[in-house]
Amino acid sequence: MGLSRKYGTAITEGPTPADVAGQAALPYPDGWAAVAFSEELTRGKVLTRPLAGEDVVLYRLGTGALRAVKPYCPHLGAHLGLGKVDGEDLVCPFHLFAFGPDGACVRTGYETAPPRSPLGQYPVCEVNGAVFVWRHHDGRAPDWTVPEWHVVGHRPARSGVWEMAGHAQEVIENSVDLGHFATLHGWRRAETGGPVRYEGAEFRLSMRAHESAPVLGEFTVDVRVEGYGLAALHVDVHTPRVGLRMCTTVLPTAIGPNRMQLRQLNRLTFDEPARLPAPLARAVSRAATRVLDRAVFKASCAFTAADFPVWHHKQYVQPPRLAHGDGPIGPFRRWARRFYPPQPVMAPASAGRTDTHPGPGAGAEVTPAPGAGAEVTPGADGIPSPAPGGSSRRDGTPGRVGAPEPGLPERSERPSPN
């Protein structure tokens, strides 16, 4: 009998996704995390969403208030995501035990005295069209908030959600990774509006991008970013040449080791032309917004999606080997330490070793920028010292970001009703 020639037609090749490549380099971040859009939770709705390796059960009471609870009934362990809302109570699907808004058991399914077995509840808030749940490694109560942001335009927001390998910090860190805006997103150059400002659980930065398009020619885009913890970015974009104003909310959520969900919500409007009478200017602005709303939203999602293949396969490198032009990544990582459990005290690595991986915000090794005439060395805090004769920018911000070169896990686009 001859040898079988039935071989498999597919082989494994290509980059390994980050969530299967090895152990996660970062723990789950503490703080608020977006687990749903508000419109998903209608009155009486029960949803189950992953958060930090566990299920969270969300439901909206008849009054409109939200609750987020641990998933298993304290009676005999049925999953409450299969339950239903009866007025103000969540009813377990197994023995019909009902739990009131405060989590206390208020009745059983067979008219006996309810046991003292309250649900485990999470702090939950609803703001900016999203539902946030608070978790902390040591169970502490919320000590910062996600503020309500301003709203632009008159039309409902458009939203999208994706799931992929990666870590939430990588998404938030992208906002200070100024170099990648040129190499990945194609900005011709950009200037920062000053150093990144950190205050508690918040940070802010601004920048101006220079771009070009066949019809528009050269134009600028003004960008202001506000970050809240490792869970939320609010980005204001203004393109004066065409009068476009857009607010984009980017919400990464850690759901498993090196795995995340990413939500994005956009609102936009166009400036009213100053040369037109007020009623006509308002009509032109609204017409342009209505016609271009979907197209601009898709372009915004495409901008975000250029990072998806990178996030999906990358590993968190600590310490990184930074170069001038990267942006203030070192200061950002030091700020980000506050959202993780304390790192165990470790003996210092021997001189010259580069294979150690300390905690999420430790110092950074630095390599020269390609083509640089002088070697870049790390300062005491691990951030590049200025090159000889250069300006002393200890926050790591470059004056400019140059030269373009342009990246999808499954995506669910969820436009709101028009």
Side-chain angles (χ1 to χ4, degrees), residues 1 48 50 67 91-92 150 175 204 213 235 315 360 363 403:
M1 181 180 293
T48 301
R67 294 293 184 271
V91 181
C92 174
H150 65 271
S175 61
R204 292 177 173 82
V235 185
Q315 289 289 308

Side-chain angles (χ1 to χ4, degrees), residues 184-207:
L184 185 62
H185 295 291
W187 287 7
R188 297 185 63 187
R189 61 187 178 91
E191 297 98 19
T192 59
V196 182
R197 301 190 304 277
Y198 296 95
E199 184 176 348
E202 304 177 14
F203 72 91
R204 292 177 173 82
L205 72 150
S206 62
M207 64 189 87

Side-chain angles (χ1 to χ4, degrees), residues 6-379:
K6 293 182 179 179
Y7 301 103
T9 58
I11 61 171
T12 298
E13 60 179 339
T16 302
D19 57 347
V20 298
Q23 185 176 1
L26 289 169
Y28 297 124
D30 294 329
W32 294 102
V35 292
F37 292 116
S38 295
E39 64 186 34
E40 296 180 85
L41 274 165
T42 54
R43 292 178 191 267
K45 181 78 172 181
V46 179
L47 284 179
T48 301
R49 290 291 161 82
L51 175 63
E54 299 179 351
D55 284 351
V56 174
V57 175
L58 308 165
Y59 58 100
R60 193 182 293 277
L61 305 176
T63 59
L66 285 175
R67 294 293 184 271
V69 299
K70 293 183 180 295
Y72 300 108
C73 179
H75 173 222
L76 281 174
H79 200 295
L80 295 169
L82 302 175
K84 64 179 181 179
V85 175
D86 181 11
E88 300 305 292
D89 302 331
L90 178 64
V91 181
C92 174
F94 198 10
H95 297 89
L96 303 185
F97 280 36
F99 300 87
D102 62 353
C105 186
V106 296
R107 66 179 182 275
T108 70
Y110 19 85
E111 300 181 358
T112 57
R116 294 182 180 177
S117 53
L119 298 180
Q121 293 187 313
Y122 292 99
V124 61
C125 73
E126 185 173 20
V127 64
N128 307 314
V131 176
F132 293 83
V133 169
W134 172 274
R135 68 163 295 280
H136 198 280
H137 72 275
D138 62 10
R140 74 179 61 175
D143 53 14
W144 57 275
T145 60
V146 178
E148 186 173 352
W149 297 315
H150 65 271
V151 175
V152 301
H154 65 284
R155 294 181 61 79
R158 290 183 177 271
S159 58
V161 59
W162 304 264
E163 185 174 317
M164 68 195 80
H167 194 278
Q169 179 176 318
E170 304 276 21
V171 178
I172 305 299
E173 185 176 296
N174 249 34
S175 61
V176 300
D177 181 358
L178 302 182
H180 97 288
F181 288 118
T183 59
L184 185 62
H185 295 291
W187 287 7
R188 297 185 63 187
R189 61 187 178 91
E191 297 98 19
T192 59
V196 182
R197 301 190 304 277
Y198 296 95
E199 184 176 348
E202 304 177 14
F203 72 91
R204 292 177 173 82
L205 72 150
S206 62
M207 64 189 87
R208 171 169 288 179
H210 296 259
E211 300 193 65
S212 64
V215 176
L216 296 176
E218 297 275 347
F219 64 96
T220 61
V221 182
D222 294 321
V223 182
R224 289 189 296 114
V225 179
E226 299 176 4
Y228 299 90
L230 298 181
L233 288 174
H234 180 235
V235 185
D236 272 314
V237 176
H238 182 214
T239 309
R241 184 72 173 269
V242 295
L244 170 66
R245 295 182 185 272
M246 182 171 64
C247 286
T248 299
T249 305
V250 179
L251 306 167
T253 298
I255 63 172
N258 265 357
R259 193 157 188 85
M260 65 180 175
Q261 290 179 348
L262 180 67
R263 292 173 173 83
Q264 180 170 316
L265 186 146
N266 285 51
R267 291 184 174 90
L268 66 91
T269 190
F270 284 86
D271 293 336
E272 297 178 7
R275 298 179 180 179
L276 299 179
L280 181 57
R282 187 177 306 110
V284 169
S285 169
R286 294 196 167 216
T289 303
R290 183 178 63 254
V291 171
L292 297 174
D293 186 23
R294 181 178 177 83
V296 174
F297 172 69
K298 292 181 69 174
S300 177
C301 288
F303 186 92
T304 306
D307 289 286
F308 288 1
V310 177
W311 293 333
H312 189 64
H313 297 102
K314 81 186 297 290
Q315 289 289 308
Y316 182 82
V317 174
Q318 182 63 33
R321 302 184 67 86
L322 297 177
H324 284 293
D326 284 329
I329 293 173
F332 173 87
R333 290 192 175 186
R334 289 194 294 276
W335 169 80
R337 292 177 193 168
R338 69 186 59 224
F339 304 107
Y340 296 103
Q343 292 292 317
V345 177
M346 301 175 64
S350 59
R353 284 190 59 181
T354 60
D355 59 346
T356 56
H357 293 271
E365 293 191 38
V366 184
T367 55
E375 182 178 357
V376 182
T377 57

